[in-house]
Structures are given as C-alpha cells and as structure tokens.
Amino acid sequence: MQRIADYELIDSLGSGNHGEYFTARPPERLGLDVDLVAVKVLSINASDDAFRRVANELQLFASVLSDQLVTLHDAGQQSGRLFYAMEFFPHGSLGKPSIELTRADVLRAVADAARAAHALHESGVAHRDIKPANVMLVDGGGKLGDLGLAQILSPGQTVTGIGPIGSIEYMEPGVVLGEQAGRASDIWALGVTAHRSLTGRSVFGEIPSGELIAALRHVLQTEPELDDGLSPGDAAAIEACLRPDRADRPATAAEVATMFDELAKETA
C-alpha cells in the first residue's frame, strides 16, 4: 500500500489490533510542522455506521486534556478502509523501543500511561487496550495511544473477535468473561504492562501462540505469577494492580501513576 486518501505511506511500522501502522507524510491541509506522522490503517472493511462509531470514539479521545495522551491528527475512510493519523514517535514504544531503556525509563513511561488512562477515565472512557506496544516513548517518559476499537467496530462481539493473541496477555480475565471494561480493567493492564516491560516475561508464563481459544483458556486457568527478579517495590506495585477483586486494586490510575513515579525516583 502506497497511499490512503491524501497520505503518502512510507514505511510499515508493524501490525497492531485490527490494522497496520505506517509512517506517512502529512497532507498540507493539516497544517502540521512535522515531517512524519503515524497512520493506522484498519484491516476491517467497515460500514458508514462503523466509521461513525470509530470517529466518535476518536473525537472523544482527542478531546481529553492530557499531555500523556498521543495527539490524534485526523481520521477518515476510503473504500471501506478506516484510518487515522497521530503523532509519530521515533523512539518507538515499550513493546518495540528503538533506544536502550533503563529501569527508571520503563517506570516513568508506565506512570505516564497511567496518568493518561486516568484522564480518559475521568472523561468516561475506558482505553481497553493498554499494553507495551501502545505506550509510546518520549524523552523522560511516555504517551498512551491507540484505543481498543474492536468493541466499537463490533458491539456485542464474542471473545473470538477481541483481536490478536498477543493482546490476550493484557486483558483482565473478568473482561474476557464478559465484565465491563473500565478503570479496574485498565489498571490490571497497566500492571501486566509494567511486568512485561520490566522482565520481558508474561505474568501468565508461556501463552499458546497458535490458537486464540487455547490462549484464552490458558489465561483463564493460570494464576498470575510475578517474576522473581523484580525488586520488592516493583513487585508490590504490580501485585496491587493484579488483585483478583477489583475493589482491592488502586481506586484510580492516578494512584498507579504515583506508585510507579516513586519507584522511578528510587532507581534514578
């Protein structure tokens, strides 16, 4: 793919939930003083109604005031393909960094993602797809991007439509079983994201990679287990986010941000 609408697509940045990311040259109509933006082209051929749902969700995301949220520039539809453009991050993400990260770098990025999640929650939005690949890296911290749009595209979908197997690791088991996504499930995802980013390992061990149902079964039947290499402080913060009872977790993502901020200061 070389173009979509008036965007010149340059290089693929890889695939994410229901789509592929590209670097692109922004059209002049946006009036941006940048050379590159990131464009996500969704792989689902969507109806006009689906596009309206996605556009409304993105507009709400863009309206939330937080320096830790990725800036959205544009959204559109061409021949049934949905796309949206956002700021480009040359340092990559926690999932695929292009720079070497210290422990403090990781903790600060997760803290910033938690602040962004809190801003969304206060505006009535659940992110639904917090994971390392969606925590973008900036100097001194991170930004949270890429809302989980699968439920917006297909309301009432079954668990078999939730996206790639790689995202299962970060979904609260309760959500897999039908509970509503919200503050508590995003806080769970922040904890799992921190664990993966600090240790390189999943709290669920080796998740089957060949079949979605097998991956779901594994996550639902496996108790989360923290890596022995975590510091006591890191382990305690992550454990708080992963408590089985939602009421026992931190009440807000802002509290999670404070925990990881304090840990980052200790390791700096």
Side-chain angles (χ1 to χ4, degrees), residues 54-225:
V54 169
N56 287 340
E57 189 79 356
L58 291 173
Q59 186 174 31
L60 181 55
F61 179 94
S63 71
V64 177
L65 298 178
S66 171
D67 292 337
Q68 287 77 42
L69 282 172
V70 168
T71 299
L72 293 174
H73 298 308
D74 193 21
Q77 180 183 25
Q78 178 176 290
S79 302
R81 302 291 296 277
L82 306 180
F83 70 90
Y84 56 94
M86 55 193 160
E87 59 183 310
F88 170 62
F89 296 90
H91 293 336
S93 68
L94 280 180
K96 193 176 180 180
S98 63
I99 57 174
E100 186 174 348
L101 298 177
T102 67
R103 196 174 199 82
D105 290 333
V106 171
L107 293 168
R108 282 193 293 264
V110 175
D112 281 344
R115 269 186 283 277
H118 180 68
L120 288 172
H121 298 159
E122 291 295 288
S123 298
V125 180
H127 187 280
R128 300 183 303 271
D129 197 23
I130 296 174
K131 58 186 179 183
N134 288 339
V135 181
M136 313 310 296
L137 297 171
V138 298
D139 292 336
K143 287 193 175 188
L144 181 62
D146 205 13
L147 282 166
L149 296 174
Q151 295 174 9
I152 305 301
L153 283 166
S154 305
Q157 67 181 333
T158 64
V159 291
T160 57
I162 60 178
I165 290 176
S167 295
I168 302 296
E169 176 180 346
Y170 307 96
M171 292 187 67
E172 182 197 20
V175 172
V176 176
L177 293 172
E179 291 185 54
Q180 187 171 355
R183 288 182 192 265
S185 58
D186 279 350
I187 287 170
W188 168 283
L190 285 163
V192 182
T193 291
H195 187 278
R196 167 66 79 171
S197 300
L198 288 169
T199 70
R201 298 179 58 187
S202 170
V203 296
F204 295 111
E206 199 68 34
I207 299 175
S209 60
E211 184 182 348
L212 178 60
I213 297 302
L216 287 166
R217 185 180 298 115
H218 175 87
V219 167
L220 292 174
Q221 295 177 350
T222 303
E223 288 293 325
E225 184 175 341

